Amino acid sequence: MTVIAKVHAREVLDSRGRPTVEVEMLDDAGHCASAMVPSGASTGRFEALELRDGDLARYDGAGVLRAVDNVNRVIGPALMGLDPADQFSIDDRLLALDPTDRKTQLGGNALLGASLAALRLGAAARHVWLYEHIFATYEPTTAAGSERAAAQTIDRPRMPLPMINMISGGLHAGGNLDFQDVLVQPVGAPDLATGLEWTVRIYRRLGKLLAEAGYEGTLVGDEGGFGPRLKSNREAIEFVVRAIAAAGLRPGLDVTLALDVAATHFYSDGMYRLRATSGGALTSDELVDEIERLISEYPITSVEDALAEEDWSGWQMLTARLGNKVQLVGDDLFTTNPARIRWGIETGAANAVLVKVNQIGTVSESLRALRLAHSAGYRRIVSARSGETEDSTLADLAVGVGAEQIKIGSIARSERLAKYNRLLKIAERLEGVKTA
Ligand code: PGA
Ligand code: ZN
């Protein structure tokens, strides 16, 4: 066993040019690792606090020097001497330093930077691939504890099915569409590499179709998806279906569609306020009617945040009506929070969870959320944020916990490709190298 000997944090920039936290960690045997914290735009109200300086003279107040300082002065010293391979003990120490619900004392970004760096250092110290270390940490048989033992197990790490952004709307593309993303899933692809090749082909055909229709098909949103000023959500869906066909693939068979409605962002005073071309102000029932129409007309197999994060009764109605037809994903609804996921399971809300480590703030809590979801038969989608970095931990996390799916954004921009490329590297090991 090695022990943590040095921790150092600094401010770096994410894919939107906004400051974020990087943490470097060394053990006494000379292993070193570092991690960078992602950042959302369509953040749920129940997420861990992203501590920002508020000093308007720097980055319009978005600096993270206070979070960095919290790592360097408080968190780092508290982790000295701990075994980096023992993620649960490290995170317990972090949670003891900031026991607040939303990590408001030290900042979710400060805690997560340390938690992720420790995870990576643990893999380095054990001389195993990161996903293998995550698997060993996640796998109940390797750890005592009734909660862990009670959860369903996965027998080995496995490749997730990607969910890839094609058209961005909502807060990710200047509010051009109500719905936040139209995505594709290469469900018929025999392996990851083929699925990615299909996806790139669809993406290119889509760019061409948008340009031919007079849209600025080359402008992209925060996650690398196209951000055209379309007339309606429906038009966005239709473009993606046409792009799949133009790529020589069969919509619904080779490739299915997924939506991220991100409904919290157009919900106010109990009503869903869509633009007129998409239906105007709707009740929960009426919005579910519209979603039901969309899934009956188009090959949509997954709908995320179809309703708002506080609309629990709406979510029960939605799940009762559509839960056996389509995957219903809770993102803002659950915010990777085991307590909220438990409530969803008990009340019959959603049938899948989106897991974003920075929503909750530590690796262990994220693993707990994943286990809980898995044990209740909810599907798990490990997800990036709209603000990302070259850090590719996410890919290993999805593989290590055997998540059914992964959501990284589009198939453009290096902060996205860092994760896809990492998946390709892992796939060589898990799927075996394909030769022509
Ligand atoms: P966010 O968006 O990172 O801006 O929250 C991603 C998503 O909603 O899935
Ligand atoms: Zn979402």
Side-chain angles (χ1 to χ4, degrees):
M1 167 186 137
T2 69
V3 298
I4 295 173
K6 187 166 186 240
V7 177
H8 177 70
R10 70 170 64 85
E11 184 182 70
V12 294
L13 298 177
D14 74 10
S15 53
R16 284 189 280 237
R18 279 163 60 84
T20 191
V21 178
E22 174 174 38
V23 177
E24 279 177 9
M25 210 176 271
L26 271 75
D27 69 8
D28 60 342
H31 302 107
C32 64
S34 67
M36 291 181 193
V37 175
S39 168
S42 68
T43 47
R45 244 181 62 200
F46 305 99
E47 294 194 17
L49 175 79
E50 196 171 73
L51 183 63
R52 301 227 174 241
D53 299 338
D55 167 11
L56 294 178
R58 294 184 73 252
Y59 295 110
D60 297 321
V64 293
L65 295 180
R66 281 159 66 205
V68 163
D69 201 54
N70 287 342
V71 176
N72 288 334
R73 284 174 198 273
V74 183
I75 294 173
L79 296 183
M80 290 304 137
L82 291 183
D83 176 0
D86 184 358
Q87 190 69 33
F88 289 100
S89 299
I90 288 162
D91 290 336
D92 283 350
R93 185 71 60 91
L94 293 175
L95 294 173
L97 292 174
D98 184 347
T100 59
D101 260 5
R102 292 184 50 239
K103 298 170 173 86
T104 46
Q105 217 160 294
L106 296 172
N109 44 354
L111 295 172
L112 181 63
S115 186
L116 286 172
L119 183 74
R120 299 186 66 94
L121 183 59
R126 294 183 54 224
H127 302 131
V128 295
W129 284 52
L130 182 56
Y131 77 84
E132 292 175 323
H133 177 50
I134 292 170
F135 175 69
T137 304
Y138 182 75
E139 178 51 35
T141 53
T142 60
S146 54
E147 186 200 353
R148 286 175 219 168
Q152 224 172 299
T153 63
I154 55 166
D155 49 1
R156 60 185 173 83
R158 64 171 170 192
M159 298 307 296
L161 173 69
M163 179 184 272
I164 305 127
N165 181 307
M166 289 287 129
I167 293 184
S168 289
L171 297 175
H172 292 168
N176 57 327
L177 287 175
D178 302 302
F179 290 4
Q180 186 168 282
D181 311 312
V182 180
L183 310 97
V184 296
Q185 296 201 274
V187 291
D191 53 31
L192 180 84
T194 308
L196 293 184
E197 190 276 318
W198 288 4
T199 305
V200 171
R201 212 192 304 163
I202 297 164
Y203 183 80
R204 299 217 178 287
R205 300 296 178 275
L206 177 60
K208 198 157 168 271
L209 288 171
L210 288 168
E212 282 166 6
Y215 293 108
E216 291 172 275
T218 50
L219 285 182
V220 298
D222 285 351
E223 299 189 347
F226 293 109
R229 299 206 152 264
L230 300 173
K231 286 187 276 301
S232 64
N233 300 314
R234 200 171 271 266
E235 193 185 10
I237 295 167
E238 263 159 22
F239 264 112
V240 175
V241 174
R242 285 172 52 204
I244 296 170
L249 297 161
R250 297 164 299 174
L253 283 173
D254 299 320
V255 181
T256 60
L257 262 57
L259 301 178
D260 183 359
V261 176
T264 302
H265 304 284
F266 52 80
Y267 183 66
S268 64
D269 304 324
M271 295 293 281
Y272 292 91
R273 299 177 193 281
L274 301 166
R275 61 194 58 208
T277 47
S278 295
L282 304 178
T283 63
S284 309
D285 277 290
E286 288 165 343
L287 180 53
V288 175
D289 289 343
E290 170 63 9
I291 287 165
E292 188 165 27
R293 276 193 294 275
L294 291 175
I295 65 172
S296 67
E297 287 171 44
Y298 302 102
I300 296 167
T301 47
S302 177
V303 184
E304 177 179 334
D305 281 350
L307 295 172
E309 63 199 2
E310 289 144 285
D311 189 2
W312 284 106
S313 60
W315 270 95
Q316 286 160 33
M317 173 269 296
L318 165 75
T319 310
R321 280 178 60 183
L322 305 183
N324 57 1
K325 292 188 191 156
V326 76
Q327 172 169 280
L328 296 169
V329 187
D331 170 14
D332 291 349
L333 178 72
F334 294 135
T335 53
T336 313
N337 186 322
R340 292 183 67 83
I341 294 170
R342 186 167 291 118
W343 181 247
I345 292 166
E346 280 170 16
T347 59
N351 56 28
V353 301
L354 203 77
V355 168
K356 295 166 165 169
V357 286
N358 80 323
Q359 284 181 325
I360 188 74
T362 63
V363 170
S364 304
E365 290 167 292
S366 306
L367 294 180
R368 209 169 291 139
L370 284 157
R371 258 193 230 112
L372 181 61
H374 194 204
S375 65
Y378 278 45
R379 278 181 266 175
R380 299 155 299 157
I381 305 157
V382 171
S383 172
R385 299 308 305 247
S386 47
E388 275 291 337
T389 68
E390 61 270 37
D391 188 307
S392 61
T393 304
L394 181 78
D396 288 79
L397 178 63
V399 175
V401 302
E404 288 76 15
Q405 292 153 64
I406 187 167
K407 183 183 177 197
I408 301 175
S410 202
I411 195 79
R413 304 288 149 126
S414 288
E415 78 280 5
R416 313 288 146 190
L417 272 302
K419 282 82 162 170
Y420 289 116
N421 288 341
R422 175 70 184 171
L423 284 177
L424 285 170
K425 192 179 242 184
I426 297 172
E428 266 191 359
R429 265 191 122 205
L430 292 186
E431 292 175 339
V433 189
K434 289 266 177 304
T435 48

